[in-house]
Each structure stands twice: as C-alpha cells, then as structure tokens.
Amino acid sequence: MSVEIVVQVKLIPEADQAAALSATLHTVNEAANWVSSVALERGVPREYELRKHTYAQLRSWGLGAQAAQHVIKKVRDAYTALNANVKAGHLGKPGSKRGRKAETKPIVFRPEAAQPYDDRCLSWQYDTQTVSIWTTAGRLKNVRFACSAGALKTLREHRQGESDLIEGDGVFYLYATCKVPEAEQYEPNGFIGVDLGVVNIATTSTGYKAAGRGLNRHRKRQLDLRRKLQRKGTKSAKRLLKKRNRREQRHVANTNHIISKTIVIEAERTSAGISLEELKGIRQRVRLRKPQRVALHSWTFAQLGDFIVYKARRAGVPVVFVDPAYTSQQCSECGHVDKRNRVDQGLFICRNCGVVAHADRNASHNIARKGEAVWTAGRESRVPATP
C-alpha cells in the first residue's frame, strides 16, 4: 500500500523561458475552452469520442501529441467532476437556477489553469535541480526549480505519474504526484482524541491546542479586506481579491499542515492512535452565533482531516473515526450526559459529579475513549469465531 501525495516545486525560469511557459499555458487553456464548447454541443461524449472530434484540430494549432491528449482528458475530467457535483446536490436542488446554468454553459478554463504533463513531455534532473519541459515554442531544457531538501528526497525516491504546471501571480509551479509506501501500522497504546472547533481549530486529549485568538484575528482581517474589495468592484479590486483569496488558501493549508504534523508526531512519539470526529455534517451539527458562522464555514475541516490521515498512514499511526454525538455534553469523568453541562464556549461543569474542565478538552477525552472502543470492536470482529 502507498500514500499518494503532491509535492510542490517552484520553477525559476529565465525571462525567455518564463515567456514560453506563460504562452504555453494560455494556448492549451484556450484550446481547452474550445474543446469544452465542442463537448457541450455533442452532449459531453466519452473521451475517445471527444478525441475524434477535436484531436486533429488541436494538432493543427501546434499542440504536441501528448499535450493534445492531455487537453482533451482535462476537459472530460472537468465535466465528470461537474456531473458528480450536480448529482451530489452541491449546486443546489435538482432543476435549480445554479445547477441549470452550470449544465447549460461550457466549462471555462482560466488562462493560467493547470496543464498536466507526463514523462514524455517533462523530465526531471534531480542532481542539478532542473527540468526539461515541452512548450509551444519547443522543448525547454535546464529550467531550474527550488524546493526543500525533504521534498527533493521525496521526488527522487517516489515520484510517479503526472505533474501539473500552473502559474500563480506570475510565478510558475510544478505539482508532482508521489506515491510514498505506508509504514507498518503498530498496535496503539491508547488513543489521542482530537476535537475540532472554531475558537480552537483542534484540541487534543494530550493538551495540544491549535489556533486560538491569533489565527481568528488574521481570518477576521482577511474577511474585512475581502468585503472592502467586493464593495469597490473595480477590475483591479477583483484581481486583488483573487490574489488575496489564493494567499488565504495557502495560509489555511499551511496552518492545517502544521496542526496535523504536530498531532501525528505526538501520537507516534507516544505509540498512540488518533481518534477523529466524523466530519460529515459538522456544519449542520454545530450551533453558533452569527459572527462565528463565517469562521466555521470558511475553515477547511475536511482538509485538516485528510492531512492527519495521510501523515498518519506514512508514519504507521492507527486512525479511527468516531461519532461525535454528545461528546460536548458528556462528562469525561463520570459519563453523565446533560446539555447544560456545557456552560459556554470554553467551560464544562458536570451537573452530576461537579468536575470543571475546558469544554474542548473534555470533548477530546470523550473522543479518545470512543476511539479505543471502535478500535477494540474492529479487532474483535476480525477474530475468527471458535468452533
């Protein structure tokens, strides 16, 4: 078994190389927009059928054979994702205005959108930290890239499959797929419960508390800035808004990486497993005051959970998911359940035994105990019955 991760490297092209990369992205995405319109006209056929209607034209525009194939596949994959979102109800109820608009208009690709590259049009030279890459102006050689020592080691040992070229704010990046073997899972010595929230993004039963005031102040500043730019409404404001949104996404991902790494390292150090809440429906379960709702809906809890899971799999740390029902109302000392136990956002006072605790810490202990129960039940279910 292996864990599929994506390693990001930053390209450092010369001026002429940067111009060629930018022109290439603009060309392939313009071609993708044309393929998208053809796909919609023909009822979004399968990839092979779509290729018959578009491949020759793409080649006549100067796209290489592999680049043309990747453009067609990119378009078909985008429509597959759109159909999945419509069926899942992510674009509103069946027949909604938003859903009809998405299904009746061709998908549009930004000029800087990602373009996939396989090993026939992209090669890596790890010793010199350069790549050779296809462009519409010809093959570019000795394009330098920068990354951390750990990322370079991962690329050298585990890179497999395609890499995506993307331009963001005038900077070029390659996102390379790597398949890292999973470590052998050990027998856990207890579980670390992880409670997710708004005031504190993650609180563990071992005492770790992530986020808090500093992060929430940063998010509030970003929200205020977005509102100002949205009210202004000019083209430059919209460009700045997109740039700020991308920066905020990077900030969120970086924060989630730090939180998940800290939790997994602690579990590995103590030979413990990790017990996580089932994330499905978290936004519907939590009842918050109006100012907190934006914070809840803007934070990527699913991304944090995914980061914890893949880092744990790489380290051999067992992970279980538990039902979070009543974890904030139940006393972790005596087990008494009462919604009045949760006095406010941060305070828990048991109505039965009188114990006083931080509300998130109390919930994390309940999640840890549920994790042990789930793990034990899973082991017992795998033991063959005695004759």
Side-chain angles (χ1 to χ4, degrees), residues 301-372:
F301 291 103
Q303 184 189 68
L304 175 57
D306 290 342
F307 285 176
I308 292 174
V309 169
Y310 97 74
K311 292 178 193 295
R313 288 173 62 188
R314 290 183 64 180
V317 176
V319 178
V320 296
F321 288 87
V322 302
D323 183 359
Y326 305 110
T327 53
S328 63
Q329 301 175 12
Q330 182 180 22
C331 176
S332 60
E333 295 292 331
C334 69
H336 177 66
V337 178
D338 190 329
K339 66 180 181 180
R340 295 175 298 175
N341 288 346
R342 183 77 177 260
V343 178
D344 57 30
Q345 180 69 41
L347 182 61
F348 182 94
I349 303 177
C350 180
R351 295 263 174 170
N352 181 55
C353 67
V355 70
V356 179
H358 189 281
D360 294 340
R361 180 74 61 79
N362 176 77
S364 68
H365 283 292
N366 290 328
I367 293 169
R369 186 161 46 248
K370 283 190 174 187
E372 292 187 22

Side-chain angles (χ1 to χ4, degrees), residues 222-239:
Q222 298 304 312
L223 177 62
D224 292 341
L225 179 59
R226 285 198 296 271
R227 285 173 175 167
K228 289 179 181 177
L229 292 173
Q230 288 168 348
R231 285 196 298 267
K232 198 168 186 180
T234 62
K235 287 185 178 180
S236 60
K238 290 178 181 179
R239 285 197 300 268

Side-chain angles (χ1 to χ4, degrees), residues 123-138:
S123 60
W124 299 76
Q125 295 80 45
Y126 302 115
D127 292 335
T128 57
Q129 285 195 217
T130 60
V131 295
S132 171
I133 186 170
W134 173 87
T135 69
T136 52

Side-chain angles (χ1 to χ4, degrees), residues 86-120:
V86 170
K87 289 182 180 179
H90 297 158
L91 299 178
K93 296 180 181 179
S96 66
K97 182 178 179 181
R98 184 183 177 193
R100 289 197 307 271
K101 182 178 178 181
E103 291 181 294
T104 55
K105 288 190 174 183
I107 293 175
V108 177
F109 296 85
R110 293 181 297 104
E112 303 85 8
Q115 172 66 12
Y117 280 79
D118 59 22
D119 288 341
R120 281 173 284 189

Side-chain angles (χ1 to χ4, degrees), residues 8-23 25-26 110-113 143-144 165-175 239 242-244 246-247 250:
Q8 174 188 296
V9 303
K10 179 181 178 180
L11 293 183
I12 312 174
E14 302 292 340
D16 56 337
Q17 294 174 335
L21 291 172
S22 181
L25 283 178
H26 282 67
R110 293 181 297 104
E112 303 85 8
V143 180
R144 293 184 299 131
L165 173 67
I166 188 170
E167 182 181 358
D169 301 327
V171 182
F172 296 93
Y173 299 93
L174 280 172
Y175 292 85
R239 285 197 300 268
K242 290 180 180 179
K243 184 176 180 179
R244 300 295 303 187
R246 291 194 292 271
R247 182 179 294 178
R250 293 194 296 270

